Amino acid sequence: MPSVNKIILIGNLTRDPQTKQLPTQSMVTEFGLAMNRKFKAPDGEDREEVCFVDCAAFGRQAEVIQKYCRKGKSLYIEGRLRYDSWDDKNGHGKRSKLSVVVENFQFLGGRDDHPAHDGDAGHAGGESHGRGERRIRDERGVPRGSWDGANLPERPARGKPQQPFGDTLEFKEADIPF
């Protein structure tokens, strides 16, 4: 019978990543990820629940996460579930834990992304980073304008789509290949 073990998570690191070297000289970085779920209870009250998951990344991914991630950083994770079980050292029976092995990940937010204390950092209007420049984001949060010399193109206004070769399309019947 076929089976699938695939998990996709988007959340924030609950602590700074911890890296150690395995006996095989491979690196492993362990970190916690928190995901929030907002919902309306049957009584109409807005509620929020948080799910905490332990994650582990190996090799080059472990090194990159250790170098660029800190507590509060947003990550997109693709991975698989791993079930670990062991005997408790204090003689309290068997213990077990479900965790995520990272197979792919992506940083979310900007390079200078730090957890916001006042709740308004990273809004669509832009971000000020204390170096005199203003970083502009469009309504979807995509960076526009000049970010550290990247010189990203301005996004055209919504409305009528732009034609790639001008406003009129001219072709002859002989141009059609069939």
Side-chain angles (χ1 to χ4, degrees):
M1 183 86 176
S3 63
V4 175
N5 184 357
K6 177 90 171 173
I7 188 162
I8 297 174
L9 302 170
I10 295 178
N12 298 323
L13 270 69
T14 60
R15 60 185 182 270
D16 287 346
Q18 309 243 326
T19 300
K20 47 188 164 179
Q21 197 165 13
L22 298 174
T24 62
Q25 303 305 311
S26 178
M27 302 289 287
V28 60
T29 296
E30 296 175 335
F31 56 94
L33 204 65
M35 289 75 52
N36 299 327
R37 176 180 167 252
K38 294 181 181 183
F39 62 98
K40 200 172 279 283
D43 62 359
E45 182 183 350
D46 287 333
R47 296 240 177 112
E48 184 174 357
E49 69 181 19
V50 182
C51 180
F52 298 97
V53 177
D54 288 327
C55 301
F58 296 88
R60 180 72 179 134
Q61 290 180 336
E63 295 171 25
V64 171
I65 289 173
Q66 173 64 38
K67 184 173 180 179
Y68 295 106
C69 291
R70 296 288 169 257
K71 179 179 177 180
K73 177 75 175 160
S74 296
L75 280 182
Y76 167 88
I77 301 282
E78 290 179 12
R80 59 185 164 82
L81 291 174
R82 178 179 65 192
Y83 179 78
D84 293 320
S85 63
W86 65 95
D87 290 322
D88 186 58
K89 291 179 182 176
N90 298 329
H92 296 294
K94 271 201 157 304
R95 305 285 306 224
S96 62
K97 179 172 103 169
L98 201 57
S99 61
V100 174
V101 175
V102 176
E103 294 177 346
N104 191 14
F105 74 94
Q106 215 170 17
F107 298 119
L108 300 177
R111 179 174 59 178
D112 296 331
D113 189 23
H114 296 291
H117 296 290
D118 57 0
D120 67 349
H123 68 287
E127 300 173 28
S128 180
H129 288 270
R131 292 187 294 261
E133 83 263 14
R134 182 127 172 108
R135 295 181 174 181
I136 305 297
R137 292 181 180 266
D138 67 11
E139 68 277 3
R140 296 178 301 148
V142 176
R144 294 292 169 216
S146 179
W147 274 49
D148 295 332
N151 197 18
L152 301 170
E154 291 297 325
R155 185 171 170 192
R158 293 209 183 244
K160 181 181 171 191
Q162 291 182 330
Q163 297 294 331
F165 303 108
D167 288 335
T168 60
L169 292 176
E170 294 183 29
F171 61 92
K172 300 177 184 90
E173 197 168 323
D175 292 336
I176 301 173
F178 49 89

